[in-house]
């Protein structure tokens, strides 16, 4: 039937989107704009961007991070470490040669020589290892903020 799309009826789609969940995929990379009720990952071609929540919906799958940054030209760039820039998970210390870096995100950091930061919940004791990984790929200008392992728990928010 026309009212069922990608195995979800119109009512289920509406309820899931209202809850900020993607009705088409149960994936961590799906982000639903609450104002446009569209999934950033699954419905890319449906909308351009939302000026209210500043979510950008790429029309071109090849555009990637570099194209988005070139279009938006932000003054500052904050990037998470685990599973965003680096392949590490759950706060484990990065090992050169074992944990790779995402080349698109690394290129984006290289485009911001003065205003780029890594903000991570990694333990403060891992800061040196993170800085060594960044230096190995000529990203020593990127500042690292480790929020984990201090006297009191801190969050990114």
């Amino acid at each position: 039937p026309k009212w069922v799309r990608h195995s979800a009826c119109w009512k289920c789609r509406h309820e899931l989107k209202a809850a900020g969940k993607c009705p088409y995929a149960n994936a961590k990379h799906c982000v639903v704009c609450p104002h446009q009720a569209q999934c950033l990952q699954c419905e890319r071609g449906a909308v351009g961007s939302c000026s209210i929540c500043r979510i950008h919906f790429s029309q071109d799958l090849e555009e990637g991070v570099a194209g988005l940054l070139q279009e938006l030209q932000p003054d500052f760039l904050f990037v998470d470490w685990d599973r965003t820039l680096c392949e590490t998970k759950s706060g484990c210390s990065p090992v050169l040669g074992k944990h790779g870096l995402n080349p698109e995100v690394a290129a984006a950091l290289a485009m911001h020589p003065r205003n780029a930061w890594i903000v991570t919940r990694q333990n403060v004791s891992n800061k040196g290892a993170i800085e060594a990984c960044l230096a190995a790929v000529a990203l020593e200008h990127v500042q690292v903020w480790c929020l984990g392992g201090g006297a009191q728990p801190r969050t990114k928010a």
Side-chain angles (χ1 to χ4, degrees), residues 2 8-9 13 26 42 50 75 93 106-108 118 133 136 151:
K2 289 184 177 182
C9 74
R13 279 196 315 268
N26 189 12
C42 300
C50 178
D75 293 329
S93 184
I118 300 294
C133 285

Side-chain angles (χ1 to χ4, degrees), residues 26-44:
N26 189 12
K28 291 181 181 179
H29 59 269
C30 289
V31 176
V32 175
C33 170
H35 309 102
Q36 304 216 8
Q38 301 292 329
C39 174
L40 169 65
Q41 184 66 26
C42 300
E43 301 175 292
R44 291 180 187 255

Side-chain angles (χ1 to χ4, degrees), residues 23-97:
Y24 308 114
N26 189 12
K28 291 181 181 179
H29 59 269
C30 289
V31 176
V32 175
C33 170
H35 309 102
Q36 304 216 8
Q38 301 292 329
C39 174
L40 169 65
Q41 184 66 26
C42 300
E43 301 175 292
R44 291 180 187 255
V47 297
S49 63
C50 178
S51 60
I52 299 170
C53 61
R54 296 190 52 137
I55 293 177
H56 176 78
F57 295 85
S58 172
Q59 299 293 334
D60 183 4
L61 291 172
E62 299 300 317
E63 181 182 85
V65 175
L68 175 63
L69 291 173
Q70 189 173 21
E71 181 181 327
L72 297 177
Q73 296 190 2
D75 293 329
F76 303 96
L77 183 61
F78 298 92
V79 176
D80 186 30
W81 178 257
D82 285 330
R83 301 179 77 181
T84 302
L85 176 58
C86 187
E87 293 174 350
T88 56
K89 295 180 184 178
S90 304
C92 73
S93 184
V95 177
L96 285 172

Side-chain angles (χ1 to χ4, degrees), residues 81-82 90-94 120-132 144 146 148:
W81 178 257
D82 285 330
S90 304
C92 73
S93 184
T120 178
R121 289 184 285 172
Q122 284 262 348
N123 192 295
V124 175
S125 64
N126 293 341
K127 183 176 180 179
I130 293 172
E131 290 170 338
V144 178
C146 292

